[in-house]
Amino acid sequence: MRFAAIGLDHRHVYHMVGGLLEAGAQCVGFDPATSDERVLAGFRERFPALPERSAERLIEDPSIDLVLCAAIPSERAAIAIRAMRAGKDVMVDKPGVTDFDQLAAVERAVAETGRIFSVCFSERFIVPSTIIAGKLIADGAIGRVVQTIGLGPHRFNRAIRPGWFFDKRHYGGILTDIASHQIDQFLHFTGSDDAGIVASGVGHFGDPDFPDFEDFGEVLLRSDRAGGYIRVDWFTADGLPTWGDGRLAILGTEGTIELRKYVDVAGRPGTDHVFLVDRAGTRHIDASQEPLTYFRDLIADIGARGETAMSQRHAFTVCRLALEAQAKAAWLPARPQPG
């Protein structure tokens, strides 16, 4: 499978390209256009052998099967649509879209071209502990899943953020952006095809230089199978040895699973800690060596026109629910919403 990278604006492009290369795909080039020269420099350092080609040449190249994109979030849909109409499948960084018009346009392009629009929800797809959790649930370890609680804290890292990072017109809002990860996980681990947004809120509590920037968000959602709560924020303290203490708690009728994805605070070293409580007792599972499957499955789907990595319906449902949560969010603390 041959692919190209267009849109080097977010550092997530590193694991997107790296994951496909590790899974056996061939990168035939990347467009060096970027809004952040630091991202480009990091890309060149990590992948020095990859050739640079313009986006136009890459999209027009009939030998390319997939275009991956980590552009400014508000620009991803347009790049994806252009690539799909040129006969290519697409993998975009989350969020795949930043408004309802973009979502409708992408859905039309998929329907009319038959191409794949996959969103790389990295907090599941590149986190081995989520694979172990899925296997435990499939084996019935905790019975029927009835609730998830997803926490997605991030470090603000003001000094390395480009201008678009602070502009809601470009990133879509904290729920559209970060909470899409937790919505994806809620649907996946509860086996839900869809859900409703019961309540949501966003707010600004931190850096006074950016009073309109959403640095906190929460969502309460419910499906016909389970309920879920989501909290996302930009408040990771500098003392934490990684960018965020991402966690997922899964409640079942016969037990619980907790994922401490990136760090076990003041506990065991390393990443991907799974804590299982069931009828037999309590157990810690080191999931850090569990092989990732998303990139390999996506390559297979491109060849077989399948949906093993993620169904198209799931990708669109996550996008829609994130947009709905953002659209109905109350401003926290209660005061007139900016702008």
Side-chain angles (χ1 to χ4, degrees):
M1 195 276 286
R2 291 163 58 87
F3 73 95
I6 300 174
L8 274 63
D9 297 284
H10 197 294
R11 287 169 175 79
H12 286 173
V13 72
Y14 304 154
H15 67 241
M16 295 167 72
V17 170
L20 285 173
L21 291 174
E22 186 176 351
Q26 176 188 1
C27 184
V28 300
F30 69 95
D31 177 14
T34 183
S35 62
D36 191 338
E37 290 296 328
R38 294 164 296 189
V39 175
L40 177 60
F43 189 90
R44 286 171 170 157
E45 179 180 350
R46 287 167 174 79
F47 308 107
L50 298 185
E52 299 183 15
R53 299 169 62 186
S54 69
E56 291 73 17
R57 289 184 60 196
L58 292 170
I59 287 178
E60 293 170 0
D61 185 341
S63 74
I64 292 175
D65 303 295
L66 173 80
V67 166
L68 69 79
C69 177
I72 295 171
S74 60
E75 298 176 2
R76 292 171 189 169
I79 294 171
I81 290 168
R82 185 179 174 195
M84 288 189 287
R85 296 204 179 280
K88 293 160 177 56
D89 295 317
V90 174
M91 176 177 67
V92 298
D93 185 22
K94 65 79 210 165
V97 299
T98 56
D99 62 46
F100 289 104
D101 288 341
Q102 290 180 11
L103 177 58
V106 170
E107 288 176 326
R108 283 195 301 272
V110 168
E112 293 168 4
T113 65
R115 309 317 302 178
I116 295 169
F117 177 81
S118 187
V119 183
C120 184
F121 295 115
S122 55
E123 291 189 25
R124 177 162 67 95
F125 292 148
I126 70 167
V127 175
S129 57
T130 66
I131 299 174
I132 292 294
K135 290 180 178 180
L136 290 170
I137 292 169
D139 290 342
I142 61 169
R144 176 186 171 185
V145 175
V146 297
Q147 189 203 42
T148 66
I149 299 175
L151 307 181
H154 287 60
R155 179 169 283 131
F156 188 39
N157 276 336
R158 174 178 173 176
I160 68 168
R161 301 299 183 183
W164 59 260
F165 174 84
F166 304 99
D167 190 335
K168 187 175 178 179
R169 295 172 300 174
H170 294 306
Y171 74 89
I174 192 170
L175 301 182
T176 297
D177 183 19
I178 303 178
S180 61
H181 285 301
Q182 282 70 37
I183 293 171
D184 161 67
Q185 291 164 65
F186 168 79
L187 295 176
H188 176 73
F189 288 114
T190 65
S192 300
D193 292 328
D194 205 342
I197 305 300
V198 178
S200 58
V202 299
H204 177 83
F205 297 88
D207 195 324
D209 291 342
F210 303 96
D212 296 342
F213 176 68
E214 297 174 359
D215 55 20
F216 175 86
E218 60 182 354
V219 182
L220 181 67
L221 69 167
R222 187 172 297 131
S223 75
D224 59 355
R225 298 178 61 87
Y229 174 76
I230 292 165
R231 191 202 78 207
V232 291
D233 65 76
W234 288 100
F235 295 129
T236 293
D238 290 342
L240 195 75
T242 188
W243 56 267
D245 181 14
R247 299 194 186 198
L248 177 65
I250 305 170
L251 172 65
T253 55
E254 299 176 21
T256 60
I257 298 170
E258 181 185 348
L259 308 185
R260 300 179 190 176
K261 300 177 183 178
Y262 313 112
V263 62
D264 182 20
V265 175
R268 299 170 176 86
T271 64
D272 292 284
H273 302 273
V274 178
F275 297 88
L276 172 66
V277 180
D278 60 14
R279 292 177 174 177
T282 63
R283 181 159 48 117
H284 169 264
I285 303 169
D286 178 359
S288 60
Q289 300 305 308
E290 181 71 13
L292 301 176
T293 61
Y294 169 70
F295 298 102
R296 184 176 68 246
D297 289 344
L298 181 59
I299 291 171
D301 289 343
I302 289 170
R305 312 315 297 167
E307 291 189 326
T308 56
M310 175 174 53
S311 74
Q312 192 62 77
R313 175 179 177 175
H314 177 86
F316 287 149
T317 300
V318 174
C319 291
R320 174 176 54 79
L321 290 174
L323 293 172
E324 289 176 356
Q326 186 72 49
K328 71 183 301 181
W331 182 257
L332 306 170
R335 64 174 175 80
Q337 189 167 355

